[in-house]
């Protein structure tokens, strides 16, 4: 009897060893890794689709988005989903939002949307919401809690009482350097929603927040800014691993504030200069950030692009796919506890950096 048992036990053990050894390595890793540890998604942002008249749109901005969509569709492995980071349109008109939505519909992965100020200030997000759904929401994916905020709201007085027409309101908010603009904010109502949403999340669950404006204060004059950034950061403080990914700035930025890692994404439309080029302005470009080279105006797609994002142990690594420019990867450095460029550690080491 006992012989029988041990013989059967041996056969079973030998069988499982054989099964493991014939599995491809990737399958073995999948079987033993926690599902939450590693997956990818793509991030496309700031397409600024601009209507001219009739069926005519600004070709240059169309081409930026078309290229990002085509390249995203070619990625292997396929991204789990695609985020669009806001400013799909230039002046939030129906033709612009429809045209942009049509281009995004060609993506062969699920798409989730973030609201930008260029999508909002004509009809206060009404048509955008009809096309894409709620302006703030959360979802869970493979053990990570994702939160999408509408961070481009501002004071009611500015929004409702100052402008004779919705078109003028849109134009005033669309200018980068316009003193008639108003600082962005998440606002009390949405902060209360965020508080309730996060109450259901365990402290060791990785949290990724998507916003359009930075949830940190970089330069108020250009609205590289969220007025209630500290209040939002305070709600995120109790969690072990928090990552905020934002659009709007059309340039590479990264930072670490306490437990929160910040990463910006590129625009597909055009690059903005860095605020530091505006020497007289008070600005706080994160010291960690090594700026990208200024775009070469002879290449119309230079310093634009999109990102493939790897979620790795609850932190995000951004691979920037830069058109007409050297690609960069900004990954979370677990030893140093902040995001860092994987190659470029010091501005002085960048061989081609003759200007910003
Ligand atoms: Fe933008
Ligand atoms: Fe924006």
């Amino acid at each position: 009897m006992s012989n029988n048992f041990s013989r059967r036990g041996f056969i079973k053990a030998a069988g499982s060893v054989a099964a493991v050894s014939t599995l491809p390595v990737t399958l073995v890793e999948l079987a033993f890794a926690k599902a939450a540890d590693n997956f990818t998604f793509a991030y496309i942002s700031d397409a600024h689709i601009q209507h001219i008249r009739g069926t005519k749109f600004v070709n240059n901005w169309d081409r930026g988005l078309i290229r990002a969509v085509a390249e995203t569709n070619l990625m292997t492995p396929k991204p789990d989903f695609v985020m669009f980071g806001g400013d799909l349109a230039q002046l939030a008109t129906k033709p612009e939002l429809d045209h942009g939505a049509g281009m995004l519909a060609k993506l062969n992965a699920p798409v989730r949307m973030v609201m930008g100020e260029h999508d909002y200030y004509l009809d206060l997000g009404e048509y955008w919401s009809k096309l894409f759904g709620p302006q703030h929401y959360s979802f869970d994916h493979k053990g990570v809690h994702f939160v999408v905020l509408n961070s481009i709201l501002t004071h009611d007085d500015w929004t409702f009482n100052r402008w004779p027409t919705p078109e003028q309101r849109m134009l005033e908010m669309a200018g980068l350097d316009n003193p008639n603009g108003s600082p962005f904010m998440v606002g009390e109502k949405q902060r209360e929603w965020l508080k309730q949403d996060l109450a259901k999340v365990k402290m060791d669950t990785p949290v990724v927040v998507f916003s359009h404006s930075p949830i940190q204060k970089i330069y108020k004059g250009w609205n590289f800014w969220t007025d209630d950034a500290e209040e939002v950061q305070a709600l995120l403080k109790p969690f072990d691993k928090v990552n905020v990914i934002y659009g709007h700035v059309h340039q590479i930025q990264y930072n670490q504030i306490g437990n929160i890692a910040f990463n910006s994404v590129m625009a597909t439309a055009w690059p903005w200069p860095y605020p530091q080029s505006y020497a007289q302005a008070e600005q706080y470009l994160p010291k960690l950030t090594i700026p990208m080279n200024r775009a070469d105006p002879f290449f119309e797609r230079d310093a634009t692009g999109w990102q493939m994002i790897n979620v790795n142990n609850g932190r995000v690594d951004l691979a920037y796919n830069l058109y007409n420019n050297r690609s960069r990867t900004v990954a979370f450095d677990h030893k140093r506890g902040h995001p860092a460029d994987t190659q470029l550690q010091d501005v002085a080491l960048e061989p081609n950096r003759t200007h910003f």
Side-chain angles (χ1 to χ4, degrees):
M1 284 288 269
S2 65
N3 266 354
N4 239 356
F5 269 121
S6 60
R7 202 165 73 101
R8 265 160 71 190
F10 170 75
I11 290 166
K12 206 175 150 196
S16 55
V17 168
V20 167
S21 64
T22 55
L23 282 173
V25 175
T26 47
L27 273 184
V28 173
E29 277 175 3
L30 272 182
F32 291 96
K34 269 196 299 173
D37 285 354
N38 220 331
F39 62 92
T40 55
F41 64 92
Y43 204 114
I44 304 173
S45 197
D46 292 84
H48 290 269
I49 299 305
Q50 192 168 359
H51 190 212
I52 301 169
R53 77 188 83 81
T55 55
K56 276 211 161 94
F57 292 84
V58 174
N59 189 40
N60 195 357
W61 315 149
D62 275 17
R63 284 175 51 213
L65 182 55
I66 289 165
R67 180 166 171 175
V69 168
E71 289 180 358
T72 301
N73 283 344
L74 290 172
M75 292 307 290
T76 21
K78 224 176 100 167
D80 285 13
F81 57 89
V82 181
M83 287 306 303
F84 187 83
D87 289 352
L88 176 61
Q90 172 64 11
L91 296 173
T93 63
K94 282 183 185 181
E96 289 175 354
L97 289 167
D98 281 339
H99 189 51
M103 284 188 261
L104 290 177
K106 300 217 162 55
L107 284 162
N108 61 17
V111 184
R112 293 190 171 92
M113 302 292 289
V114 180
M115 177 70 84
E117 81 278 19
H118 288 262
D119 306 319
Y120 184 80
Y121 279 99
L122 182 66
D123 65 356
L124 307 180
E126 199 183 312
Y127 191 62
W128 186 98
S129 293
K130 228 180 236 172
L131 291 175
F132 304 119
Q135 298 174 19
H136 64 267
Y137 54 98
S138 67
F139 60 95
D140 294 290
H141 185 77
K142 294 186 179 170
V144 176
H145 187 65
F146 288 91
V147 177
V148 176
L149 296 175
N150 177 355
S151 67
I152 55 82
L153 301 170
T154 195
H155 302 284
D156 282 353
D157 185 50
W158 190 95
T159 305
F160 297 106
N161 303 330
R162 200 158 301 187
W163 311 109
T165 63
E167 286 76 15
Q168 190 173 343
R169 177 177 59 201
M170 180 68 255
L171 281 173
E172 297 290 355
M173 204 51 121
L176 178 71
D177 195 14
N178 182 359
N180 291 332
S182 188
F184 293 148
M185 54 187 70
V186 169
E188 206 182 327
K189 221 172 111 190
Q190 211 178 158
R191 290 203 313 271
E192 189 51 41
W193 168 83
L194 178 62
K195 201 173 151 188
Q196 303 297 327
D197 181 76
L198 293 175
K200 298 169 282 184
V201 181
K202 283 194 197 144
M203 299 304 162
D204 61 351
T205 300
V207 177
V208 178
V209 178
F210 298 123
S211 59
H212 184 67
S213 59
I215 309 291
Q216 57 178 335
K217 292 176 167 172
I218 294 172
Y219 179 30
K220 196 172 189 175
W222 294 354
N223 248 331
F224 288 12
W225 190 269
T226 301
D227 227 32
D228 53 355
E230 290 90 348
E231 283 96 323
V232 179
Q233 288 170 18
L235 297 173
L236 298 167
K237 209 173 176 181
F239 295 89
D240 295 346
K241 292 172 181 173
V242 184
N243 313 268
V244 175
I245 304 176
Y246 56 94
H248 183 65
V249 295
H250 299 205
Q251 62 194 222
I252 294 174
Q253 297 177 353
Y254 41 101
N255 195 17
Q256 184 75 33
I257 300 177
N259 59 328
I260 309 174
F262 294 86
N263 290 94
S264 71
V265 293
M266 298 297 293
T268 60
W270 66 78
W272 286 128
Y274 279 90
Q276 72 215 49
S277 63
Y278 227 57
Q280 71 276 28
E282 194 185 0
Q283 52 88 17
Y284 309 91
L285 186 73
K287 281 196 175 65
L288 284 177
T289 298
I290 296 179
M292 44 181 251
N293 274 325
R294 195 176 72 177
D296 182 337
F298 287 101
F299 297 97
E300 65 178 11
R301 295 255 62 74
D302 193 10
T304 63
W306 61 281
Q307 297 64 221
M308 199 67 187
I309 300 182
N310 182 28
V311 179
N312 184 8
N313 289 311
R315 290 297 190 178
V316 295
D317 303 334
L318 282 78
Y320 291 88
N321 298 278
L322 302 178
Y323 309 152
N324 302 118
N325 210 313
R326 195 182 61 170
S327 289
R328 284 178 66 173
T329 298
V330 174
F332 192 83
D333 184 326
H334 289 266
K335 254 192 217 144
R336 289 187 286 176
H338 62 71
D341 192 294
T342 54
Q343 288 185 304
L344 198 57
Q345 304 291 317
D346 187 333
V347 174
L349 300 177
E350 166 64 277
N352 300 320
R353 186 172 295 276
T354 54
H355 54 251
F356 288 152

